[in-house]
Amino acid sequence: MGGTSPAPWRRVAVVAALMLAAFTFNTTENLPVGLLALMADDLRVSLAAVGALVTGYGLTVAAASLPLVRVTRSVPRRYLLAGILALLAAASWVSALGGVSYGVLLAARVATATAQAVFWAVTGPVAVGMFPPERRGRVIGALSVGGSLATVAGVPAGTWLGGHTGWRTPFLLLGVLALVSLVTIAALLPTSRPQDGHAAYGAAPDRRGFRVVLTVTALSVTGAFAGFTYVVAFLDEVSGFGAGAVSAVLFAFGGAALAGVAVAGPLLDRFPRATLTVPVAAQAVALLGLWASGPVQAASVALIMVLGASVATVFMATQNHMLRVAPGRTETALAANSAAYNVGIAAGALLGGALLPVAGVRGTFLIGGLCSVAALMVQTRRERARGGAGIGRWRTGADF
């Protein structure tokens, strides 16, 4: 970034701080799911009202990503990230205050969501810009590992801690983690103009490719969450798992997600197109397989793990593609992709909910699988149109 590259230890420390921030943001976003009953009882609101804290969070990210990135496009990234993390810490601590009302908590969630909207748009170019271009995929993979750890460790640990000490304690600790990231980035990230460095603009700008990636993101995420939103009911009603077993299966889902990004991340640079095509195809197979063989418990567990590994990897791979095909500034392209992701979550949940009375919980996985097939068709059609059958092109992704 800028005219000189930071020392290796500083680059590693900044990436580690960004991984911690990704973990903190993702844990904060989803933690109310694990603390639903505790929060509803303490705040004297319905379970649906607490659930709205998660839904509203995602919609805020979707709506705010592009406008906020455009407003902040000229702010040096060191100052911008420090401000984002300061907002995350402050909002977390406000959430942890004794006697906080639902309205104040909702405002804190909106503030955190706006910070996250900018974070996911700028953190990739910042991290990638400190390393040689050929290591882009590995850096994006490392950031994805940080985010995926929230599912495997952050939310379960926060749920356990909240159950033993009160739901406010996890938010207090999340504020501390945000402060650690803030101090590290403020001390070690160089100050430079956002437009400087090889990661500020797409490596191979392609407007059509940009639209294809956005479409793949929206369709694949809609498909994933059309079914996964109702996975607990599916495992109970269709697969016949008890409450304790459902928790174990969901833990396996999170572990598979972490394994998926850890394995695929180092391959993004060598096989950028395959690392998107394979997980989209795997997601389609998992969702359709769950619809077809849901009553078979062993098959359900295996397919849930395939789904976890693929969903996490798809978003990582689309982010990596955005750094290549962005028609302008990469943070704008990444903001658009993040918005598409969050719109997909909301659309998937709404689509699945609309189908529940008609097709039952099993049918939501069928429609999710069909959406995933559509995403795969969009992507492979683009590859065929650009002569993507050649092995060399498949490996390099030069004309995606």
Side-chain angles (χ1 to χ4, degrees):
M1 299 180 63
T4 61
S5 178
W9 71 269
R10 292 183 65 174
R11 286 182 280 171
V12 171
V14 169
V15 170
L18 291 173
M19 291 174 65
L20 178 61
F23 169 84
T24 306
F25 269 118
N26 283 7
T27 301
T28 301
E29 178 176 7
N30 295 295
L31 186 57
V33 173
L35 301 173
L36 205 66
L38 288 174
M39 295 177 70
D41 183 61
D42 184 62
L43 295 169
R44 293 189 172 91
V45 297
S46 66
L47 292 176
V50 178
L53 296 175
V54 178
T55 305
Y57 192 107
L59 292 176
T60 300
V61 173
S65 292
L66 279 168
L68 288 178
V69 164
R70 287 176 177 146
V71 168
T72 59
R73 60 185 289 122
S74 62
V75 180
R77 287 342 190 194
R78 178 187 179 192
Y79 303 140
L80 180 59
L81 281 168
I84 288 170
L85 292 169
L87 183 57
L88 171 60
S92 299
W93 288 331
V94 167
S95 301
L97 291 174
V100 65
S101 68
Y102 178 83
V104 172
L105 183 60
L106 179 61
R109 295 282 294 176
V110 170
T112 306
T114 58
Q116 182 166 329
V118 181
F119 175 81
W120 281 116
V122 304
T123 190
V126 166
V128 168
M130 295 188 296
F131 293 86
E134 62 271 15
R135 297 180 65 183
R136 176 186 66 222
R138 278 165 284 184
V139 176
I140 291 295
L143 296 176
S144 297
V145 167
S148 297
L149 275 170
T151 303
V152 182
V155 174
T159 301
W160 179 88
L161 183 62
H164 286 77
T165 64
W167 66 266
R168 291 180 175 82
T169 306
F171 287 99
L172 178 66
L173 292 182
L174 287 169
V176 173
L177 295 182
L179 183 62
V180 172
S181 299
L182 164 61
V183 171
T184 303
I185 289 170
L188 299 180
L189 182 65
T191 303
S192 61
R193 298 187 304 170
Q195 63 268 35
D196 290 342
H198 67 84
Y201 296 91
D206 183 349
R207 289 189 180 276
R208 187 177 177 188
F210 168 75
R211 292 193 294 269
V212 167
V213 177
L214 279 184
T215 303
V216 170
T217 297
L219 282 174
S220 65
V221 175
T222 298
F225 282 87
F228 188 72
T229 301
Y230 308 97
V231 68
V232 173
F234 179 91
L235 292 172
D236 177 27
E237 300 173 14
V238 179
S239 300
F241 286 103
V246 167
S247 299
V249 174
L250 293 179
F251 183 79
F253 173 90
L258 178 60
V261 297
V263 170
L267 301 176
L268 288 173
D269 295 309
R270 294 181 60 200
F271 307 101
R273 293 168 69 180
T275 46
L276 179 55
T277 301
V278 170
V280 171
Q283 176 180 304
V285 169
L287 290 165
L288 293 174
L290 285 164
W291 166 72
S293 61
V296 182
Q297 291 188 343
S300 293
V301 174
L303 290 167
I304 284 289
M305 293 179 69
V306 172
L307 182 62
S310 58
V311 169
T313 306
V314 166
F315 183 63
M316 177 183 68
T318 57
Q319 292 286 86
N320 186 54
H321 274 302
M322 281 302 186
L323 289 171
R324 174 178 293 276
V325 302
R329 291 272 288 272
T330 50
E331 70 264 22
T332 302
L334 292 170
N337 199 46
S338 179
Y341 184 87
N342 283 279
V343 167
I345 292 175
L350 290 172
L351 179 61
L355 285 172
L356 273 176
V358 179
V361 68
R362 197 169 176 179
T364 65
F365 284 80
L366 172 61
I367 193 64
L370 294 177
C371 288
S372 301
V373 169
L376 183 62
M377 291 175 64
V378 169
Q379 185 193 351
T380 54
R381 180 180 179 183
R382 169 66 171 170
E383 291 170 359
R384 289 195 299 270
R386 297 296 297 267
I391 293 176
R393 292 173 187 261
W394 177 266
R395 287 175 60 88
T396 63
D399 54 18
F400 185 92

